[in-house]
Amino acid sequence: MTTHIVTGGSAGIGLAIARRMAQDGHDLVLVARNEEKLVMAATQIRALGVNCRTAALDVRDNDAVNQLVDELPEVDGVVNNAAGNFAKPTVELSLNGFRAVVEISLYGTFNFSTALARRLMAEQKSGAICNIITTYAWTGAPRVAHSAAAKAGMLAFTKSVAREWGPDGIRVNAVAPGFVATESAVSNILSAPGAAERMSQMIPLGRFAQAEEIAESVVFLQGDRSAYTTGAVLTVDGGRSLGMSMHQAEPVGT
Ligand code: HXC
């Protein structure tokens, strides 16, 4: 069986991904900043019968990422899920706020992807990378321009290194969720009264995703069932990014 790193793996979508991968028998390495949350998450994962290590580090720390990836006994893949985000009118966003979000999402992806690719190439071993972006990587979104810019960068990075590392047997894909009702996403992005209800009315399938529904796509892309898939983006957004119809002054379903 293979070993996969999941960044931001101690909660939300990352933990759901780790659980789903464990159910398929993959060993896991969970990465996040908070040690206590990592310990709790790893206990859940080990209960599913696989090995699970933890690493408390900041994905922005290139040296710490390289050291972790180099020192793992085995590693076959990484899921770049850790993301920075908060909603803010762009003219009010500080340079440091913009930088924090871009560095967590985009630089974090660069750090783990390159560390893994270097190791796999040295070992002449194949592997898989899955980057969690969002649909606003290509639609854009007001008040989260910092996150959209980072996710668009991740999308271009995904396709670029899929082409570059394909000959080395390293596949690189992305999953683009729409809105997923995790605790942190609801409190950070959709805290305004009625916002969650208004948004769900704009989704053809009429509801937000469960984190497990995102995890299902990730486990497919990280495993052998997608052996001929690289540079792909799997959109899992209930149809939201397909756009509004001419008649959509009325909510979907009416
Ligand atoms: C305005 C904020 C802010 C906020 C942080 N900053 N939170 N500005 N509003 N709510 C600013 C700070 O003021 C500071 O700038 C800069 O960001 C760095 O903040 P720090 O506190 O130093 O912490 P740091 O750890 O570097 O980063 C903060 C953070 C990060 C970016 C907020 O902790 C984080 O992203 N946490 C949330 C993680 C999360 O929820 N991820 C899931 C996202 S869900 P100044 O100028 O003051 O120094 C998602 C899906 C959306 O993305 C999909 C929808 C379809």
Side-chain angles (χ1 to χ4, degrees):
M1 258 310 152
T2 58
T3 302
H4 295 255
I5 298 167
V6 180
T7 70
S10 62
I13 298 174
L15 180 54
I17 291 168
R19 268 199 307 265
R20 183 64 189 82
M21 295 200 71
Q23 284 163 0
D24 267 18
H26 300 287
D27 292 330
L28 274 309
V29 180
L30 306 184
V31 172
R33 280 187 287 182
N34 184 307
E35 177 92 54
E36 209 177 308
K37 285 190 192 168
L38 278 171
V39 169
M40 288 195 300
T43 305
Q44 270 190 45
I45 299 302
R46 290 187 196 113
L48 296 168
V50 299
N51 294 321
C52 182
R53 291 168 179 264
T54 61
L57 58 78
D58 190 323
V59 298
R60 292 171 283 192
D61 184 341
N62 185 261
D63 290 340
V65 170
N66 285 332
Q67 191 181 342
L68 170 70
V69 174
D70 288 346
E71 289 178 1
L72 287 172
E74 294 284 338
V75 60
D76 302 273
V78 64
V79 180
N80 287 303
N81 164 77
N85 209 357
F86 52 83
K88 193 85 184 164
T90 308
V91 289
E92 292 171 22
L93 188 59
S94 72
L95 175 61
N96 208 26
F98 186 87
R99 182 186 291 130
V101 167
V102 171
E103 286 190 350
I104 295 167
S105 302
L106 181 57
Y107 287 35
T109 296
F110 169 83
N111 289 340
F112 268 100
S113 302
T114 52
L116 177 75
R118 268 193 299 271
R119 175 160 172 178
L120 292 174
M121 287 173 193
E123 294 176 345
Q124 297 192 308
K125 215 173 106 175
S126 62
I129 297 171
C130 183
N131 297 324
I132 309 301
I133 59 170
T134 81
T135 52
Y136 60 53
W138 59 90
T139 65
R143 295 164 54 89
V144 285
H146 41 338
S147 172
K151 298 290 190 177
M154 287 171 68
L155 174 57
F157 183 79
T158 300
K159 294 187 178 194
S160 301
V161 293
R163 297 180 69 172
E164 191 173 325
W165 299 341
D168 298 290
I170 301 170
R171 299 184 300 107
V172 192
N173 293 293
V175 168
F179 198 82
V180 185
T182 62
E183 215 172 287
S184 81
V186 170
S187 63
N188 284 322
I189 313 292
L190 274 190
S191 46
E197 200 181 331
R198 280 196 304 280
M199 261 192 79
S200 62
Q201 286 177 350
M202 293 189 280
I203 300 169
L205 292 183
R207 62 174 177 85
F208 299 144
Q210 296 299 314
E212 289 70 21
E213 293 172 306
I214 309 307
E216 203 61 54
S217 296
V218 176
V219 78
F220 167 69
L221 289 171
Q222 289 300 89
D224 290 342
R225 285 170 297 165
S226 62
Y228 198 58
T229 303
T230 196
V233 181
L234 190 39
T235 299
V236 190
D237 73 340
R240 169 73 183 99
S241 62
L242 297 173
M244 307 276 263
S245 77
M246 270 165 54
H247 308 293
Q248 217 168 348
E250 293 161 23
V252 170
T254 57

